[in-house]
Amino acid sequence: MKTAIAALAAGLALAAPAKAQDHFTAEQARAELDALYSGLKSAHYDLFETTPRRVFDQRFDELGRSFETPVSAADLHAGLQRFTALAGHGHARIEDPNPGWPAFAETGRVFPLTLAVHDGEVIVESAPEGSAVRPGERIVALEGEPNPIWLNRLTRNISAETPELAYTLLTGRLPLYVWLEYGAPESFGVTVERDGGLSEVRVDAVDLDTWRDTAPPEPGFTLDGREARMIEPGVAYLRPGPFYNIEATTEAEVFAPAALQRFQAFIDESFTGFIEAGARTLILDLRDNPGGDSSFSDPVVAWFADEPFSFTSDFRIKVSPETTASNNRRLEGRTPEEAGVSGRYAELFANAENGEIVRFDFPVVPPRDGLRFDGEVLVLVNRHTYSNAVTTAALIQDYRFGTLIGEPTTDMATALGAMERFTLPLTGWTVGYPKAHIIRPSGREDLHALTPDIEIDIPAVRGSRDLALEAALERARR
């Protein structure tokens, strides 16, 4: 069970926090920083797993001293997010958008390019018509700063285990992060590789709608929504989409029992149709999947599993007041029959001390009774497969239920996850944090990304050809 981190990559949120105000006194800013650090130390499974406590303490002191005069809400948010991102964990972050961004995004002008950052290169995906930079060109510097410098400036705002994960999360919100670090100039200096040398050019800022509407010369294929079809005789294709309620408008609806029932009905109908159509191979597409919860993903795997399974070999939780309160909020309005895993969490927390690490035993999931899919299963993954979608692919790999095809994920197969939340007292901003250490079925404990069984060289910029799907079809035909 891992709440999706890829909401960060989904787009540019414009909604302002409910308790927004323009400025805070220095004392208020320092108090909010103290509440953030205290809450993270109390609730995060292992806040100092990647970044030592002395680094956090030093940054805490530096940031506190910087609050000498009234602090704007935008600057306070940026400081608190950068502080949280020091943890180096995708599930530790300030979930509310920066309060200065919505107003600026409505009327301001932003960095005009879309970029792909992959394998050490920064490639222009698209540029407005008439721009001094062309799609496909390589950028080597921004405002005179070489790629490692300006990329590090931008990604310090992003909570991520690795630079590669930060880069995948960066691209969908590039104007926001450039605004945070460089403000709102009328143009940007860019150095590109051109004609065997380097050229320094300036690109004009554009409004956000123009940035969104600027398409690459060759629009890439999309992987949106849910889809189930026979892709050709004998080969079924299933893209289950996010493993949560994509129509939810409140936190309580995200994993609601009614939503799970609708999702499971879609899955059951899909597999039944595949079998009736004579499918011998299933292509399960988990690319661009933000993740969700095992209550949604387990019913998919149960259709083709040939032995009982679990998405984790060990699930260790740090008990804290923040986690207990967050779990209790999920239980509000639910009957004991509807409590599910959250009800079991509540029982476990009630019999443990705060700060204690406890083991939570997820029940082993049996294969389906009756009708099952017993053909070959090919699972597609990519750099934008996240969270629970990664753990789902990892369990399929570890139990040898199928073959993984694609490129390595940037999110982790063994990870700190199972995200919970607490609220900062003055701003009302929501802080997400990982409460658990989730270890993949193979038992490998170090935090690591998922490597597919068959790796495909995927271009940094997505084109019209779906190379991973082509490779899966080639294997299915053999």
Side-chain angles (χ1 to χ4, degrees):
M1 173 183 168
K2 296 204 294 181
T3 301
I5 68 171
L8 282 174
L12 292 164
L14 294 178
K19 294 174 64 176
Q21 64 186 70
D22 291 337
H23 286 81
F24 300 90
T25 67
E27 292 76 14
Q28 288 175 323
R30 286 192 290 268
E32 203 75 338
L33 171 62
D34 186 65
L36 171 64
Y37 196 18
S38 298
L40 287 172
K41 287 188 288 187
S42 170
H44 192 294
Y45 180 86
D46 188 356
L47 183 61
F48 309 116
E49 184 268 341
T50 298
T51 304
R53 179 189 286 265
R54 59 179 173 77
V55 176
F56 263 101
D57 289 346
Q58 178 181 349
R59 184 57 188 147
F60 176 81
D61 291 340
E62 291 172 348
L63 188 56
R65 287 195 300 270
S66 74
F67 298 146
E68 296 180 349
T69 58
V71 182
S72 72
D75 287 344
L76 178 59
H77 185 285
L80 298 187
Q81 169 56 25
R82 290 166 187 155
F83 182 80
T84 306
L86 275 180
H89 299 132
H91 291 83
R93 62 176 184 260
I94 307 295
E95 298 224 275
D96 301 87
N98 187 295
W101 173 251
F104 174 77
E106 288 290 335
T107 59
R109 296 170 65 81
V110 303
F111 185 72
L113 309 177
T114 65
L115 306 175
V117 184
H118 190 55
D119 287 343
E121 292 189 313
V122 181
I123 305 171
V124 179
E125 287 187 305
S126 66
E129 186 176 351
S131 173
V133 174
R134 299 185 292 268
E137 289 189 314
R138 267 63 175 171
I139 289 179
V140 298
L142 175 64
E143 296 290 12
E145 296 180 330
N147 287 350
I149 303 300
W150 69 266
L151 285 174
N152 186 64
R153 281 187 61 177
L154 266 59
T155 56
R156 69 174 178 153
N157 298 283
I158 300 174
S159 300
E161 280 79 358
T162 64
E164 291 74 21
L165 177 55
Y167 296 152
T168 62
L169 298 175
L170 167 67
T171 53
R173 290 187 169 187
L174 188 60
L176 166 63
Y177 295 121
V178 173
W179 170 74
L180 283 171
E181 293 298 328
Y182 293 94
E186 288 299 313
S187 64
F188 297 86
V190 177
T191 306
V192 297
E193 295 180 350
R194 184 177 291 172
D195 301 326
L198 300 179
S199 296
E200 296 184 9
V201 299
R202 296 205 70 83
V203 292
D204 293 331
V206 299
D207 61 77
L208 187 60
D209 285 339
T210 299
W211 181 84
R212 285 193 176 112
D213 294 339
T214 301
E218 182 185 12
F221 62 89
T222 61
L223 296 166
D224 299 330
R226 312 192 194 279
E227 183 178 0
R229 62 188 173 97
M230 293 298 296
I231 200 166
E232 62 180 49
V235 182
Y237 175 85
L238 175 63
R239 186 171 65 246
F243 292 120
Y244 55 80
N245 178 13
I246 57 178
E247 300 174 350
T249 57
T250 67
E251 183 178 348
E253 295 174 346
V254 174
F255 302 120
L260 175 58
Q261 291 172 4
R262 292 193 298 272
F263 177 80
Q264 188 157 352
F266 163 72
I267 296 300
D268 292 348
E269 180 181 347
S270 300
F271 274 99
T272 300
F274 296 156
I275 294 169
E276 291 175 349
R280 299 182 301 276
T281 300
L282 167 69
I283 298 175
L284 177 63
D285 199 342
L286 299 183
R287 296 174 298 170
D288 292 13
N289 191 315
D293 189 82
S294 60
S295 61
F296 281 68
S297 56
D298 284 347
V300 178
V301 179
W303 265 99
F304 53 81
D306 56 14
E307 64 175 294
F309 64 90
S310 173
F311 74 92
T312 178
S313 61
D314 200 355
F315 194 93
R316 306 166 187 168
I317 301 174
K318 179 182 178 181
V319 181
S320 69
E322 293 82 2
T323 291
T324 299
S326 182
N327 187 65
N328 287 342
R329 286 194 295 272
R330 261 194 314 277
L331 289 171
E332 291 176 1
R334 293 192 183 185
T335 66
E337 293 75 21
E338 296 173 335
V341 171
S342 293
R344 294 183 57 214
Y345 281 159
E347 294 176 4
L348 182 64
F349 300 161
N351 293 291
E353 298 292 329
N354 288 325
E356 183 180 352
I357 302 296
V358 296
R359 281 183 162 84
F360 183 81
D361 294 325
F362 273 90
V364 174
V365 180
R368 276 179 54 88
D369 288 332
L371 190 65
R372 291 177 53 252
F373 181 79
D374 59 5
E376 181 182 31
V377 178
L378 306 176
V379 183
L380 301 182
V381 296
N382 68 358
R383 72 195 76 153
H384 297 292
T385 301
Y386 297 108
S387 200
N388 172 257
V390 174
T391 59
T392 299
L395 83 84
I396 293 171
Q397 185 179 59
D398 290 351
Y399 282 95
R400 300 187 178 182
F401 292 156
T403 301
L404 273 54
I405 299 176
E407 61 184 343
T409 64
T410 52
D411 201 5
M412 305 295 106
T414 288
L416 299 186
M419 191 172 179
E420 298 286 0
R421 297 163 179 83
F422 65 86
T423 302
L424 295 178
L426 180 61
T427 60
W429 295 335
T430 300
V431 182
Y433 63 90
K435 70 171 179 286
H437 188 188
I438 306 168
I439 300 170
R440 65 184 294 177
S442 69
R444 182 176 171 182
E445 294 198 11
D446 63 300
L447 274 61
H448 65 280
L450 180 67
T451 302
D453 302 297
I454 300 173
E455 289 195 46
I456 306 297
D457 187 14
I458 304 296
V461 178
R462 182 176 295 180
S464 59
R465 285 187 62 188
D466 189 340
L467 299 180
L469 182 58
E470 290 177 11
L473 281 170
E474 181 182 354
R475 179 182 174 93
R477 291 163 184 158
R478 290 203 305 264

